[in-house]
Amino acid sequence: MTMIYIGLTGWGDHDSLYPPGLAAKDKLPEYAAHFPTVEVDSYFYAIQPRANVEKWIRETPPSFQFIVKAYQGMTGHERGPIPYESKEEMVAAFLESIAPFQEAGKLAMVLFQFPPWFDCRREHVAYLRSVKARMGEVPAALEFRHQSWFSPRFRAKTLRFMEEEGWIHAICDEPQAGEGSVPIVLHPTHREKTLIRLHGRNVHGWNKATAGENWRAVRYLYRYNERELREWADRIRALAAKTDHIYVLFNNNSGGDAADNAKQLIELLGLEYNGLAPRQLGLF
């Protein structure tokens, strides 16, 4: 039977989950009372100290699963100097940092999300091969942001390449807003694991948001309606015949909608999670 894990991208900004005034350092244990998985997006900005990782492991139940977002220097997003002498040193630091997740059985996968300019060309295919080789046995998911990978010309080749190299497909739901977005491609490339990331469908915000300080607040401002969530519930049931573990992450949190949408989808799929953390009890 396929396991379906539903969660959010990060545990910080979900006011509907937390008692008023809950300190940021105390949010993960409370988050883990609601969901069985989370994306650790802080890794994108900096490879995390092992002390942080060990704290997160202690604060979550034994079955809790972390999806670690790859550091920006590994996916070509870096703006400015990277604090490592070489790619090899950077990757070694990353692997050392995530090792406690692996040892605790809590690493679902590492997510490699590539930028919109990372198109389908020979040198980028070669780079993906080198990244996967560096990761060794670490489960790794691949998310594209450039439409060319799933164009009629390359779609079948892209999926076959991912299967052959052992990449987990990060299937995306995002605005269809030109070459800097990808369509929904319901094709698992890994028998054991598939990732689904729901970014919302704010077409206007997706394109407008490429400049300015508030791009993230604009881009992910979207609330899925019940019809859209029912459609995803049907898709997930179909995918469950082709992959053993499905991870679903809601990233549409500019307006605080991700947690509510995730709980709606859990209900639509009739999921009940055992082994969640105990919830904090309010006064009434």
Side-chain angles (χ1 to χ4, degrees):
M1 182 179 174
T2 297
M3 283 293 299
I4 301 169
Y5 305 83
I6 295 176
L8 312 174
T9 55
W11 59 83
D13 302 322
H14 308 290
D15 292 343
S16 66
L17 297 181
Y18 305 124
L22 186 67
K25 66 181 178 60
D26 298 325
K27 285 184 175 179
L28 180 56
E30 182 67 10
Y31 172 97
H34 296 268
F35 301 109
T37 189
V38 74
E39 179 183 304
V40 193
D41 53 1
S42 54
Y43 265 91
F44 178 77
Y45 303 100
I47 294 174
Q48 297 296 301
R50 282 178 72 111
N52 287 6
V53 177
E54 288 161 357
K55 175 179 182 287
W56 298 335
I57 290 168
R58 287 195 306 272
E59 291 178 341
T60 50
S63 59
F64 193 86
Q65 294 292 291
F66 291 90
I67 295 167
V68 175
K69 193 169 185 181
Y71 176 56
Q72 59 182 328
M74 298 160 70
T75 53
H77 283 88
E78 66 271 17
R79 296 176 179 87
I82 292 292
Y84 299 98
E85 294 287 327
S86 65
K87 280 270 195 219
E88 288 70 26
E89 183 186 320
M90 177 176 61
V91 172
F94 182 83
L95 291 173
E96 183 181 355
S97 173
I98 67 171
F101 285 131
Q102 292 174 276
E103 291 158 9
K106 291 188 173 188
L107 181 68
M109 66 192 74
V110 173
L111 167 64
F112 287 84
Q113 181 197 68
F114 284 89
W117 55 260
F118 191 84
D119 59 356
C120 186
R121 64 173 73 180
R122 191 181 303 275
E123 56 264 41
H124 290 161
V125 172
Y127 183 72
L128 291 176
R129 279 204 175 93
S130 70
V131 167
K132 191 67 177 63
R134 285 190 179 114
M135 286 297 101
E137 295 302 308
V138 174
L142 181 53
E143 178 178 341
F144 294 114
R145 279 281 168 90
H146 195 281
Q147 206 173 62
S148 59
W149 296 93
F150 295 122
S151 66
R153 181 182 173 195
F154 292 126
R155 174 177 163 142
K157 291 178 180 176
T158 295
L159 293 169
R160 188 167 63 248
F161 165 78
M162 291 172 71
E163 289 169 358
E164 290 170 351
E165 294 289 315
W167 284 103
I168 296 162
H169 187 188
I171 298 169
C172 292
D173 184 315
E174 62 194 36
Q176 296 308 289
E179 67 178 18
S181 60
V182 296
I184 296 170
V185 178
L186 298 170
H187 185 107
T189 56
H190 194 280
R191 177 65 227 187
E192 191 178 336
K193 296 179 179 181
T194 296
L195 176 62
I196 298 168
R197 297 182 85 234
L198 300 157
H199 297 296
R201 300 178 182 179
N202 185 346
V203 176
H204 173 69
W206 196 263
N207 284 331
K208 179 184 176 184
T210 52
E213 291 181 11
N214 297 322
W215 65 271
R216 185 176 295 278
V218 177
R219 173 170 283 183
Y220 301 112
L221 184 60
Y222 191 81
R223 188 178 186 91
Y224 286 94
N225 62 40
E226 186 171 338
R227 178 187 57 80
E228 292 164 339
L229 292 174
R230 285 188 182 280
E231 191 174 31
W232 265 110
D234 290 341
R235 289 167 172 158
I236 290 166
R237 291 186 191 104
L239 290 169
K242 303 173 184 175
T243 190
D244 295 336
H245 300 268
I246 298 175
Y247 298 81
V248 183
L249 297 172
F250 281 84
N251 191 36
N252 58 319
N253 203 50
S254 298
D257 296 309
D260 291 347
N261 276 166
K263 290 196 169 192
Q264 283 178 274
L265 185 58
I266 288 170
E267 189 174 333
L268 287 170
L269 286 165
L271 299 175
E272 291 186 19
Y273 294 116
N274 298 316
L276 294 178
R279 292 192 187 184
Q280 289 193 20
L281 297 176
L283 184 58
F284 296 104

